[in-house]
Structures are given as C-alpha cells and as structure tokens.
Amino acid sequence: MSTYVVVGLQYGDEGKGKITDVLSAKSDYVVRFQGGDNAGHTVYVGDNKFVLQLLPSGVLQCRGKCFLANGVVVNPKSFLKEIQQIEDKGMKTDHVFISRRAHVIMPYHILLDTYREEEQGGTQIGTTKKGIGPCYEDKISRVGIRMVDLLNPEILREKIEKNLKLKNALFSKYFDKPEMDVEEIYNEFLELGEKLKDRIVDTELEINEAIKEGKNILFEGAQALMLDIDFGTYPYVTSSSPSTGGVCTGAGVPPTSLQNLIGVAKAYCTRVGNGPFPTELDDELGENIRKIGGEFGAVTGRPRRTGWLDLVSLKHACMINGINNLVITKLDVMTGLGKLKIATHYRTEDGKIIDYFTSSTTKLYNYEPIYEELEGWDEDITTVRSYDELPATAKKYIEFIEKYLGINVYLVSVGPERSQNIIRKELF
Ligand code: GDP
Ligand code: IMO
Ligand code: MG
C-alpha cells in the first residue's frame, strides 16, 4: 500500500490518462492536483472511448474515491457536463468530490483568456482558452472565488462584484468588448453551488488520513513538466505546477509521503500550442507520425506538432520530478518508420555542445539537436505483452532511454486500449 504519482514528462498528451486508468484499478483514491479542463485524457475500454478533461481518469475503475484537490481550477459547468457524460454511459459518479479550497473558473476568466490570445496575433501562447491562466492569476492575487464560496451567497455576491469592477473596466475600456452582469453570474453560480454542494469537501483531510492508513493513493498529473510554470518553456507554459512537487501544494500532502514517482513519456514527442520544440519534424515524416499516432488535441482538436524523442528535455523533466519509474507510451507508433533518431545533446548558437535544458526560451529556438540514430523495426508490436517478445531493435530503443536517464522503464504501452501494456515490474 503506497502513494503513486503519474506526471507527464514532455509537452502533455503522453498518455497519462491511459496509465492512470490502468493503475486506478488497484487504487483507493485517485486525485487530480493541478490544472483544470485544459487537460484531455483519452481512455479506451474496448471500443468505448472516454475523453476526461476535469475528472480524474481514475473515475472509470477506481474502487474508492476520486478527488479534485485544492490545486485544481474547476469550471463547475464542465464538471457537471462530464459527470453527465459518464452517467449516460451507465457508470456511477457518486465517488467524485471537489476540494472546498479549489478555485472556480468564472466566465470572465474564459473571456479574458480568449481576448488576450486574440489580441496577441502571432505571438499568442496558444492556450486552450479555458480560462486557466486568469483563474490562477486571481488565486495568487488573493481575489479568487473558491468552491466553498459557492455555498455562501453573501460572500459569493461580494466577490463577484469586486472582481467584475476591474474585469469590466478591462473588457470595455481595453478590449472594447461588452461588460458582464453581476446578477447573471451570481444567480448562475449560486445554482451551480447548490447542484454541487454534496460533492464539496475537505479533500486534504481525507487524503492525509488515507495515507496514514496505508491506502493506495494515485495522484494524477495533467499537462507536463515542459509546460510547468517554473521549469517549462516559459512563457509558453500552463499556469500551474504539473510536477511531482505540485502534488504537495496541490493536494496538501507532505513531500515525505510521496513514494512511486512515475513519469510518462511518448516514444517520440509532440506539442500542441506555440513555443520552442527543438526536435520538431516539420516535414512528411512528422505528418506521418501525426497520422499514425492520431496526434490531434483531445480538447481543441488542433493538430499536434510532432518530433523525435528529446532526451535532453526528458533528463531535465526526470531531474525536477525525481522520477523513479518510467513509462514509455506509443512505442507501436514507431513501427515501420525506418531508422529512428533520439536527441542526446543540443548544439548552441555559438557551437557549444550541451546536454542540459536551458532556461532561455528564446535561445532554444536556435539550438540544434544532436541525434543518435537507432535501427527501427517493422513487426506489429500491438499484441506483445511480454518484454522479451519485443523485436530486438525495439528493446534497444527502450534500453537506450533507460541508460541515458539512469531510470528503469517499468511499463511500455503498445496501444491505446487499457490492456495494451508490457509490464516489466508490478508496482502495486
Ligand atoms: P494525456 O493527456 O497524457 O492523457 O494523453 P492524451 O489522452 O491526450 O493523448 C494520448 C493519446 O494516445 C490518446 O488518444 C490515447 O488513447 C493514445 N494512446 C495512449 N497510449 C497509447 C499507445 O501506447 N499507443 C497508441 N497507439 N496510442 C496510445
Ligand atoms: P494534458 O493533460 C497538451 C498547452 C496549451 C498551451 C499551453 C497553455 O492533456 O496533457 P492553458 O490553456 O493551459 O493556459 O494553455 O499549454 N496545454 C496542453 N498541451 N496537453 C495538455 O493537457 C495541455 N494543457 C495545456 O496548448 O500551449
Ligand atoms: Mg491530453
């Protein structure tokens, strides 16, 4: 009985949802600790496809409870919509709860996100326009509305009034857009609070109690380290800490309670939205990988940029997260691609060869990846379930990653379905 953290090591969409779903079967709790409905986690159960944005991917088969902890930003309308979708498929959702401390994404956050992106033209971040950034800004500015506020009419009205004063000035005077109505938002969110009241709890109390009792607790990350507000490619990042460190503040648990730190990476690399991507393949091969891998955003439908695996950034991500177990997903997508490349170093503008990730995002655009070339394979690996049955070249590919990072790959995913895994070591 232990704690497990699943985080993304690249630019998101590594397949965290699928891995969480697999691990949640043995979990007593599955806890989201950051992000909001900017996430898109696709899980296949047989031919049934589920896209989870706000709910933990554990909702499908966790035997215990699913929490959106304090570090998550919650759009109550998205929450209820997702709950409905799950219930429509005949599943129960009475095990899903939200922290009283979690911040609420308000309609003005979504508009602000949208207007800002529109205004920036070609230099926009390429956000999901879900209001994530503006909601976290209000949290840090100490004017945010928390889930618990939805249950207190007086405080709710007061906070909406205070927030709209400034936001409406910004909308009308700066963006030349219509102002928002206090009364309308107040009534809508009071009603949402009423609908959600039985699900709003002190998640941190129960999680800590569960840790003491030795239950299995799985913390599910959204986004990924390269989109981390501190350690990603700032400013082309999200507004939270999708790292293992984010679990402590985002769920209210001590660092000493975190044990199995599971990092998920694709066998190649993708990015959606703007920002540097050193190993990007802006060519036919990149297009091919996009097609084979089905690389289109689960939330926005945007085509994902594709490229070779980048061990320089992966090493950075493993270091910050303290990863002690790696998962490599989508190895099947590499089948039949011919020779495979893996970036091990970067060549800087002035010809220096480095193997660490830079804090200078602008410089990164001019860094040239230095690749190691490995033999590929043509065999279908989607039905392989034991590591020994993989083609020798596929094993070499995995072992190259392990050796470079000094971390064991404990699970190799070879298809989107729940059962398409090669598990080398049982963690539970
Ligand atoms: P997440 O955001 O990290 O949960 O990842 P997404 O769900 O956004 O994107 C991963 C996509 O790859 C989803 O469509 C998954 O169904 C799919 N997927 C996950 N693992 C594998 C795998 O091993 N092979 C293949 N072909 N697809 C996978
Ligand atoms: P999952 O959990 C991939 C990207 C956006 C944009 C940047 C900021 O499915 O891996 P935001 O709306 O968060 O302010 O956007 O982050 N982004 C993601 N990219 N997967 C995600 O989540 C993402 N969530 C945000 O495209 O570049
Ligand atoms: Mg995703």
Side-chain angles (χ1 to χ4, degrees):
M1 298 289 159
S2 194
T3 54
Y4 304 83
V5 184
V6 173
V7 289
L9 299 177
Q10 295 161 320
Y11 300 92
D13 304 324
E14 297 87 352
K16 301 175 292 293
K18 178 197 155 168
I19 301 305
T20 300
D21 171 63
V22 170
L23 296 178
S24 66
K26 293 183 185 167
S27 304
D28 300 299
Y29 288 84
V30 180
V31 181
R32 278 271 312 260
F33 57 91
Q34 48 72 231
D37 58 344
N38 50 345
H41 300 169
T42 307
V43 177
Y44 281 92
V45 184
D47 289 334
N48 241 328
K49 178 181 175 181
F50 298 86
V51 179
L52 299 153
Q53 292 185 221
L54 188 53
L55 300 189
S57 306
V59 70
L60 304 179
Q61 61 173 348
C62 170
R63 62 186 183 200
K65 291 187 184 176
C66 290
F67 284 165
L68 298 180
N70 57 284
V72 175
V73 284
V74 180
N75 179 331
K77 284 182 268 185
S78 304
F79 179 87
L80 287 169
K81 199 168 140 200
E82 231 171 285
I83 287 279
Q84 192 60 51
Q85 278 169 7
I86 303 282
E87 289 184 353
D88 286 348
K89 293 202 176 175
M91 271 173 278
K92 285 175 74 170
T93 63
D94 53 5
H95 60 317
V96 184
F97 298 91
I98 310 173
S99 165
R100 290 159 65 87
R101 297 173 190 268
H103 279 247
V104 183
I105 298 181
M106 302 297 288
Y108 44 82
H109 292 139
I110 297 170
L111 287 184
L112 208 52
D113 197 357
T114 309
Y115 295 158
R116 272 194 206 152
E117 286 282 285
E118 284 170 1
E119 191 202 25
Q120 287 184 40
T123 59
Q124 79 271 41
I125 292 166
T127 73
T128 57
K129 297 186 183 162
K130 298 284 182 183
I132 305 295
C135 183
Y136 277 118
E137 284 166 37
D138 279 0
K139 172 177 177 173
I140 300 300
S141 300
R142 296 160 293 184
V143 295
I145 294 177
R146 303 193 295 172
M147 289 306 293
V148 63
D149 298 328
L150 300 184
L151 309 180
N152 187 326
E154 234 168 82
I155 290 181
L156 180 63
R157 183 192 289 277
E158 201 181 292
K159 285 196 166 187
I160 293 174
E161 271 171 6
K162 191 173 167 190
N163 271 286
L164 274 190
K165 238 186 211 170
L166 193 66
K167 263 96 182 175
N168 271 338
L170 206 56
F171 290 153
S172 60
K173 298 200 169 63
Y174 184 77
F175 289 109
D176 201 15
K177 298 281 185 190
E179 294 196 354
M180 299 192 90
D181 184 47
V182 173
E183 216 52 38
E184 211 174 291
I185 298 181
Y186 168 73
N187 287 329
E188 185 181 18
F189 279 76
L190 200 60
E191 199 182 316
L192 288 166
E194 184 57 31
K195 284 187 184 152
L196 291 172
K197 67 176 190 293
D198 296 337
R199 296 188 189 263
I200 303 175
V201 301
D202 283 321
T203 52
E204 69 277 12
L205 291 181
E206 194 165 336
I207 296 170
N208 278 287
E209 201 53 42
I211 290 174
K212 263 196 223 149
E213 288 168 9
K215 299 251 168 77
N216 274 339
I217 305 170
L218 178 60
F219 296 96
E220 174 187 2
Q223 291 81 51
L225 202 273
M226 302 313 292
L227 295 174
D228 181 277
I229 188 74
D230 285 282
F231 297 104
T233 51
Y234 191 89
Y236 298 100
V237 291
T238 191
S239 300
S240 65
S241 303
S243 61
T244 53
V247 177
C248 298
T249 52
V253 299
T256 45
S257 66
L258 303 183
Q259 292 168 325
N260 300 284
L261 308 177
I262 305 166
V264 186
K266 275 179 198 175
Y268 50 101
C269 197
T270 63
R271 174 163 203 165
V272 59
N274 291 333
F277 181 178
T279 59
E280 183 165 12
L281 284 166
D282 203 3
D283 56 12
E284 207 177 309
L285 181 59
E287 180 63 40
N288 218 358
I289 295 177
R290 178 157 43 248
K291 268 198 210 129
I292 303 168
E295 296 297 355
F296 296 89
V299 178
T300 57
R302 291 178 289 178
R304 294 175 182 151
R305 299 155 66 192
T306 53
W308 293 120
L309 185 68
D310 179 354
L311 287 180
V312 182
S313 68
L314 210 52
K315 190 168 81 167
H316 169 74
C318 288
M319 174 185 76
I320 301 294
N321 282 306
I323 295 304
N324 50 26
N325 286 287
L326 271 175
V327 171
I328 298 295
T329 61
K330 305 192 94 160
L331 190 67
D332 54 301
V333 176
M334 310 300 277
T335 299
L337 289 185
K339 287 203 191 295
L340 306 174
K341 289 184 181 177
I342 298 185
T344 56
H345 297 79
Y346 296 155
R347 186 177 286 111
T348 67
E349 293 155 307
D350 43 14
K352 227 171 104 186
I353 296 189
I354 58 169
D355 68 350
Y356 57 86
F357 204 78
T358 175
S359 52
S360 171
T361 300
T362 39
K363 279 191 179 162
L364 204 49
Y365 283 107
N366 302 317
Y367 282 8
E368 188 197 324
I370 299 176
Y371 292 108
E372 188 84 24
E373 205 171 68
L374 277 79
E375 292 297 323
W377 60 91
D378 292 322
E379 297 91 327
D380 175 11
I381 59 169
T382 56
T383 53
V384 172
R385 296 292 175 268
S386 115
Y387 187 73
D388 291 341
E389 287 167 27
L390 276 177
T393 46
K395 282 194 268 195
K396 271 203 180 136
Y397 192 82
I398 295 293
E399 284 153 25
F400 189 86
I401 300 169
E402 287 184 314
K403 192 162 174 221
Y404 184 98
L405 298 172
I407 308 169
N408 288 333
V409 173
Y410 101 93
L411 189 152
V412 181
S413 172
V414 290
E417 216 278 330
R418 200 180 252 176
S419 60
Q420 290 181 292
N421 307 305
I422 297 168
I423 300 175
R424 295 170 80 195
K425 173 181 93 176
E426 286 291 349
L427 282 191
F428 278 65

